[in-house]
């Protein structure tokens, strides 16, 4: 795990192989382990897909050397793609709905990318439409489109999944992960179900998000503060395959906010809202495995902590709930 003991030729070689760390608050009988994705050079899980998608697209000729990628992104994917684009000789343009962290947009610019904002009210759908318009206007431009590109989940099938299973000697009872594009969960779930077909798979989303409706549950749409996961328009989340999911679990922002602060105070984990939501659900799934309510092939739960709290300090996530919500 992150044992980079030799000099490396490129920052791209530091992507992946992140540490897998126990969540202390889990039940003793069913441990929970989280992949600390802030150990990646762009400090989030999305470095994995930035590198993987661009390398594959350059390999198969979808993307020309010296060409441009245009991507609609809430931020971390932009940073991940910008890190890879800079090193692979590709230009990057990102279309970001206004409501997302300014920190992330500054980092994308620092990495040499261009950032274009779209109105918050137009949602992710508006950003996707704008990205396609821009790609039409530019020469040699492609939209990797993380929301529909199978290379997104493939990156996690090829890296995140195997890393978790290797670290736990293949004994993973349940996989729990928040879904933005759902690439992380789908890649890990597909890998996990191949290792053991009864692996219990749980998708996490904030209350107010609508993934639950895709698995036939009722859900009421509302705004939420948790960043990076959830959807208001499941038609745009093309990678989400309900056949790979046993359950969609919703977490209220208030509960997530408590867990962000508990993880820092009690576990030394400086992680952000999607990590905290994953932690809440992973601990709950572990309790239910212990109590016999979930039939999982092994007594363990794997999840991911996608990024760090430092990226959201300006949003008051270590203040009161009202300050964070503000
Ligand atoms: N957490 C954060 C902070 C993210 O930026 C993302 C990506 N939107 C996710 C979780 C969810 O990852 P995925 O898109 O693979 O579902």
């Amino acid at each position: 795990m992150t044992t980079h003991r030799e000099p490396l030729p490129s920052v791209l070689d530091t992507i992946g192989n992140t540490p897998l760390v126990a969540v202390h608050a889990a039940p003793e009988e069913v441990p929970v382990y989280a992949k600390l994705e802030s150990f990646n050079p762009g400090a989030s899980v999305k470095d994995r897909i930035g590198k993987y998608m661009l390398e594959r697209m350059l390999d198969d000729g979808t993307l020309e050397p010296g060409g441009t990628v245009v991507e609609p992104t809430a931020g971390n994917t932009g940073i991940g793609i910008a890190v890879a684009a800079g090193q692979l000789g590709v230009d990057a343009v990102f279309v970001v709905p206004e409501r997302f962290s300014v920190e992330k947009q500054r980092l994308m610019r620092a990495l040499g990318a261009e950032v274009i904002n779209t109105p918050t009210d137009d949602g992710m759908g508006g950003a996707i439409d704008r990205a396609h318009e821009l790609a039409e206007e530019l020469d040699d431009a492609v939209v990797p489109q993380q929301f529909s590109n199978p290379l997104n989940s493939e990156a996690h099938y090829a890296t995140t999944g195997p890393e978790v299973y290797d670290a736990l000697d293949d004994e993973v009872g349940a996989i729990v992960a928040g879904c933005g594009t759902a690439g992380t969960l789908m890649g890990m779930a597909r890998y996990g179900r191949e290792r053991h077909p009864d692996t219990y798979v749980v998708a996490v989303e904030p209350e107010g998000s609508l993934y639950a409706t895709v698995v036939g549950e009722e859900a009421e749409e509302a705004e939420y503060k948790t960043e990076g996961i959830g959807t208001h328009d499941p038609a745009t989340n093309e990678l989400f395959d309900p056949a790979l999911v046993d359950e969609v679990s919703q977490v209220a922002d208030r509960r997530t906010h408590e867990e962000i602060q508990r993880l820092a105070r009690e576990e030394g984990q400086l992680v952000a809202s999607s990590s905290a939501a994953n932690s809440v659900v992973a601990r709950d799934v572990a309790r239910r495995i212990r109590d016999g309510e979930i039939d999982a092939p092994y007594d363990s739960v794997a999840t991911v902590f996608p990024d760090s709290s430092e990226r959201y300090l300006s949003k008051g996530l270590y203040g009161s709930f009202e300050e964070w919500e503000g």
Side-chain angles (χ1 to χ4, degrees), residues 3-54:
T3 47
H4 301 300
R5 298 188 196 283
E6 303 291 326
L8 297 168
S10 162
V11 76
L12 297 188
D13 297 312
T14 69
I15 293 174
N17 287 315
T18 53
L20 186 71
V21 177
V23 176
H24 302 152
E28 225 168 274
E29 303 84 341
V30 185
V32 171
Y33 298 98
K35 273 300 239 182
L36 301 193
E37 293 298 304
S38 62
F39 276 65
N40 286 303
S44 92
V45 68
K46 290 296 187 175
D47 288 8
R48 293 176 184 271
I49 73 163
K51 176 184 175 186
Y52 193 89
M53 294 199 302
L54 263 53

Side-chain angles (χ1 to χ4, degrees), residues 44-46 49 73-77 104 146-147 152 156 177-186 211 227-230 239 272-275 278 304-308 312:
S44 92
V45 68
K46 290 296 187 175
I49 73 163
T73 166
N76 280 334
T77 300
K104 293 180 191 166
Q146 58 165 341
F147 285 88
N152 172 353
H156 296 287
C179 291
T181 63
T184 308
L185 184 67
M186 292 301 115
Y211 268 115
E227 265 195 62
I229 58 174
L239 298 178
S273 53
S274 66
S275 306
N278 284 349
V304 288
F305 285 175
D307 68 352
S308 128
Y312 309 87

Side-chain angles (χ1 to χ4, degrees), residues 176 202-205 247 249-251 276-286 288 301:
V176 173
V202 181
V204 178
E205 67 177 352
E247 185 184 318
S249 184
Q250 295 205 329
V251 187
N278 284 349
S279 176
V280 167
V281 176
R283 290 170 54 198
D284 181 57
V285 167
R288 286 157 62 207
V301 178

